[in-house]
Amino acid sequence: MANLTLYPATLQWAVEESDADPAALSQRRGLGQLPDWLESKEPVSVSFNKVEQLSRALHVPFGALVRSVVPQRRLEPLVQYRTVGNTSVQPSKNLQDTIDQMRFRQEWARDELLESGLDANPLVGSVRDAEQDDALADALRSTLGLDGRSAWEGGNSSDRFRQLKERASDAGIMIMLNSQVGSTRYRKLDLQEFRGFVLIDDMAPLVFINRNDSFDGMIFTLIHEVGHVLLGTQELFDGIGGQGDRKATERAINRAVVKAVIDDERFRRLWQEKLDAGKEPADAAESIAGDFHLSALAMGIQAHQFGLVDEDTLKELRARMERQLQKKTAHRQEQKTHGNGNRTNASRVDTGFVRLVNAAMDGGRLAPTEGFDLVGVRSSQSYQGLIREKKLI
């Protein structure tokens, strides 16, 4: 197989991006010349297999390694003006890299869909005003099949989340999730930093969900982010209610999510039962959250809309949520990873996206290595396991 040309400046960028130790990497079979490549004054000729191995070792896309110009990280609008209180907050590298990976997938999917002659997704921007939360709630119910009580009866929270994920995917919204950056186990995503985000595109809208959350939390995040798709607005979701100038919009979307899911009459009855049993409002919210498979804060939002609680109760519920996120993050860090690798890979990637990649590979428009990189696997065996889990073969 022909050699490829690598450029030292691009290699240096890749090593810095991955925060890798070149000396340690050079101990791996096939990468012994890495220090020489990095110090070379001229482009170097490297075999395809070694470039592929280097891509895996650095967790940098194969295509980025062979560029003659150092890739420049774009000024990411999702995090450009992010603040906590009045203080500007810099995004973590894990978040930045996750957004970059999702944009790479989205841009590829957009090109593929355009090449196929498909029209734009009519859901994107179909609701004009977030403040019209009744209209947004109706659109969420229609998009995600939440009309009628039967949509929420039976099953546990994990079943409900998977069902919603499939419905969103069937509507042309790519749903991705992960607990880490790509396949790098030591780069865990921080649930306190973000619970999800949405990247708007009229052809390939994409929602990413932080898998370190509970299923109830992910249900709320998924519906919330689909709300942004319907509004045609991008957003990084921290789950606490929005920041700065976005706060009013975020709270309006949260209200619409709650309206889309919760049966008003049943909510009022359960709420009154808890108060009659002597529970304080914040405790009542936590007590009935499991009945609706949403967070206690969502219950508080609904009660606030009915005039049953004040802003102080919502502040208390937000504070409790923050403490729960901190505990969950600490617990996740102590856990060891187990389970079925093919099932895990399949859970991270949208089914419609995998179908697009598979069709492009079958049609000869996409090289296997590029296809594996797009869906987050490293070998043909893992890829076959992925598409079996997706029931594409």
Side-chain angles (χ1 to χ4, degrees):
M1 187 173 292
N3 283 8
L4 299 173
T5 299
L6 298 187
Y7 297 84
T10 302
L11 282 176
Q12 292 163 10
W13 163 85
V15 170
E16 290 172 1
E17 278 288 297
S18 65
D19 198 25
D21 180 358
L25 288 177
S26 68
Q27 300 303 310
R28 299 191 184 189
R29 184 178 180 181
L31 297 182
Q33 294 176 280
L34 178 60
D36 294 333
W37 298 340
L38 290 168
E39 295 176 6
S40 175
K41 303 299 183 183
E42 302 292 335
V44 294
S45 181
V46 181
S47 72
F48 182 94
N49 288 339
K50 288 184 179 180
V51 176
E52 190 176 44
Q53 184 181 357
L54 188 60
S55 171
R56 291 197 298 266
L58 294 175
H59 306 291
V60 171
F62 183 94
L65 284 176
V66 297
R67 294 177 183 175
S68 60
V69 178
V70 175
Q72 297 296 314
R73 185 182 294 279
R74 74 183 76 196
L75 189 60
E76 177 51 60
L78 277 184
V79 297
Q80 184 177 0
Y81 303 111
R82 187 165 183 260
T83 61
V84 172
N86 295 318
T87 304
S88 177
V89 176
Q90 292 298 314
S92 69
K93 189 172 184 301
N94 286 350
L95 172 56
Q96 290 178 330
D97 289 349
T98 299
I99 294 173
D100 285 348
Q101 183 187 43
M102 293 306 113
R103 285 204 183 278
F104 181 72
R105 287 178 173 177
Q106 183 182 57
E107 289 166 2
W108 180 86
R110 174 182 174 83
D111 290 344
E112 189 69 13
L113 291 168
L114 284 171
E115 190 70 22
S116 301
L118 296 180
D119 295 326
N121 189 321
L123 291 176
V124 180
S126 57
V127 178
R128 298 298 180 186
D129 185 0
E131 292 300 324
Q132 297 177 356
D133 46 50
D134 285 332
L136 182 56
D138 289 342
L140 285 169
R141 280 192 290 268
S142 176
T143 301
L144 296 174
L146 297 176
D147 289 312
R149 287 285 301 282
S150 61
W152 288 100
E153 289 178 351
N156 54 33
S157 293
S158 62
D159 293 332
R160 294 180 184 222
F161 174 74
R162 294 186 187 98
Q163 186 180 55
L164 286 177
K165 187 173 71 164
E166 290 172 3
R167 291 173 183 172
S169 180
D170 290 342
I173 302 170
M174 296 189 296
I175 308 297
M176 311 285 185
L177 59 152
N178 209 334
S179 61
Q180 60 199 28
V181 180
S183 58
T184 313
R185 292 180 181 177
Y186 68 87
R187 297 185 65 187
K188 292 292 185 182
L189 300 178
D190 186 355
L191 195 57
Q192 292 178 258
E193 181 175 32
F194 79 106
R195 302 180 82 169
F197 58 80
V198 58
L199 302 176
I200 294 299
D201 181 89
D202 61 348
M203 295 294 297
L206 184 149
V207 167
F208 180 88
I209 297 173
N210 189 335
R211 181 59 185 86
N212 290 309
D213 206 350
S214 66
F215 280 106
D216 287 347
M218 290 194 296
I219 286 173
F220 191 94
T221 299
L222 173 57
I223 303 174
H224 179 100
E225 301 297 44
V226 170
H228 273 282
V229 172
L230 295 170
L231 291 167
T233 56
Q234 299 195 131
E235 181 241 14
L236 180 77
F237 183 55
D238 61 15
I240 306 301
Q243 305 163 10
D245 294 338
R246 299 176 11 249
K247 187 173 292 186
T249 297
E250 293 306 296
R251 290 184 173 178
I253 295 174
N254 286 348
R255 290 196 301 270
V257 172
V258 172
K259 287 183 178 182
V261 173
I262 296 177
D263 177 81
D264 291 352
E265 182 179 343
R266 183 177 177 224
F267 176 85
R268 286 179 180 274
R269 175 172 53 80
L270 290 173
W271 183 268
Q272 192 59 49
E273 287 176 1
K274 300 304 178 184
L275 294 185
D276 290 344
K279 288 187 178 293
E280 294 296 321
D283 295 327
E286 289 193 337
S287 181
I288 67 174
D291 290 277
F292 296 98
H293 297 274
L294 290 178
S295 68
L297 178 57
M299 300 301 101
I301 291 170
Q302 179 73 339
H304 187 263
Q305 290 180 181
F306 289 150
L308 302 175
V309 300
D310 56 19
E311 283 289 342
D312 288 340
T313 300
L314 293 186
K315 288 179 182 178
E316 169 62 20
L317 289 170
R318 289 191 180 97
R320 291 187 185 187
M321 175 179 282
E322 289 179 343
R323 291 194 292 270
Q324 290 168 358
L325 293 182
Q326 291 171 355
K327 290 180 181 179
K328 188 175 289 293
T329 298
H331 178 65
R332 285 278 183 180
Q333 290 172 345
E334 295 172 358
Q335 283 184 322
K336 294 184 178 179
T337 302
H338 300 286
N340 184 301
N342 292 331
R343 191 170 302 144
T344 298
N345 289 337
S347 72
R348 293 172 175 169
V349 192
D350 179 74
T351 301
F353 180 77
V354 176
R355 188 179 291 112
L356 271 180
V357 170
N358 196 48
M361 289 172 66
D362 286 346
R365 301 186 303 279
L366 187 66
T369 303
E370 295 174 314
F372 299 165
D373 186 50
L374 277 167
V375 297
V377 299
R378 301 182 183 180
S379 67
S380 178
Q381 181 179 1
S382 295
Y383 180 75
Q384 292 300 314
L386 166 67
I387 61 174
R388 279 198 300 272
E389 285 290 333
K390 292 292 190 180
K391 296 181 173 57
L392 299 179
I393 56 173

